[in-house]
Amino acid sequence: MDKKRRFMITKIIAGLFSGILLIAFDQWTKILAVSHLMGKSDYVLMDGVFELHYLENRGAAFGILQNQKVLFVVLTILILSAIVYIYLCRLPQGKRYLPLHIMTILFFSGALGNFIDRLTKGYVVDFFYFSLIDFPVFNVADIYVTVAAGLLLVFGIFYYKDEDFEKFFPSRKTSS
């Protein structure tokens, strides 16, 4: 088996295994939130700072676009498809690109974790609440997406160069 094929098989197995673990952890925390927080008072971890607060979010981030399930399903399928395409077909191999592989898995796991909720319940279970700054209630899948986006920003500015991005998003220059 050639090196490129072996890398692709390893990447698929690592991505599936990591994604399954991340999604399982997200779903487990949501099961715990439903069983221990639903219909109960908030569980204060740090008074005036952080608490566990059960919320059924029928919207997107920060509760926008409430009750637009069909829109979310279509958008999520498109986003998940794009993530899989980028992960399998566009990301180059090599240690330099490992952070991008990890970020892609985090994006995928977060999107799929919340998508599972939307399909099975009609809403996303949120339960972390920073009361100190009145930050919107969120969940583990949201953390995956936020961490991946933050890492992408930091790595995009300070680590990767234009030629790195050119490797997986080549420009289509036309010859004159």
Side-chain angles (χ1 to χ4, degrees):
M1 183 181 331
D2 69 345
K3 189 176 180 179
K4 190 173 184 175
R5 183 170 169 77
R6 190 170 54 246
F7 174 78
M8 182 58 77
I9 291 170
T10 303
K11 180 164 75 167
I12 291 169
I13 291 169
L16 280 173
F17 182 73
S18 302
I20 288 168
L21 283 178
L22 290 168
I23 293 164
F25 180 68
D26 169 65
Q27 292 298 301
W28 178 66
T29 61
K30 291 172 180 173
I31 289 167
L32 290 174
V34 169
S35 64
H36 295 287
L37 299 172
M38 185 174 168
K40 297 183 175 121
S41 299
D42 294 350
Y43 185 80
V44 177
L45 296 171
M46 294 178 68
D47 193 29
V49 178
F50 184 68
E51 55 194 58
L52 300 177
H53 171 87
Y54 180 81
L55 178 73
E56 295 174 358
N57 183 356
R58 288 172 169 73
F62 309 114
I64 61 171
L65 298 172
Q66 290 289 314
N67 299 311
Q68 300 295 317
K69 184 177 177 181
V70 173
L71 174 66
F72 292 131
V73 168
V74 171
L75 282 175
T76 304
I77 290 170
L78 291 172
I79 290 167
L80 289 171
S81 298
I83 292 169
V84 168
Y85 172 74
I86 290 167
Y87 183 76
L88 293 177
C89 302
R90 305 306 303 180
L91 289 182
Q93 62 186 21
K95 290 180 183 175
R96 179 162 182 77
Y97 300 100
L98 181 61
L100 286 173
H101 290 262
I102 293 168
M103 290 176 234
T104 307
I105 293 167
L106 284 169
F107 274 124
F108 182 84
S109 300
L112 188 55
N114 282 339
F115 187 60
I116 290 168
D117 279 14
R118 262 185 229 296
L119 288 179
T120 60
K121 298 177 180 74
Y123 54 86
V124 174
V125 174
D126 289 334
F127 52 91
F128 292 128
Y129 177 54
F130 280 103
S131 54
L132 177 68
I133 58 172
D134 194 26
F135 194 79
V137 184
F138 58 98
N139 62 44
V140 171
D142 298 333
I143 294 169
Y144 298 158
V145 172
T146 304
V147 167
L151 288 173
L152 184 59
L153 182 67
V154 169
F155 275 80
I157 293 171
F158 298 109
Y159 183 72
Y160 293 113
K161 308 293 181 233
D162 288 344
E163 54 270 12
D164 292 317
F165 291 109
E166 183 70 25
K167 285 185 180 179
F168 55 92
F169 291 118
S171 61
R172 298 181 188 249
K173 295 178 184 174
T174 56
S175 54
S176 322

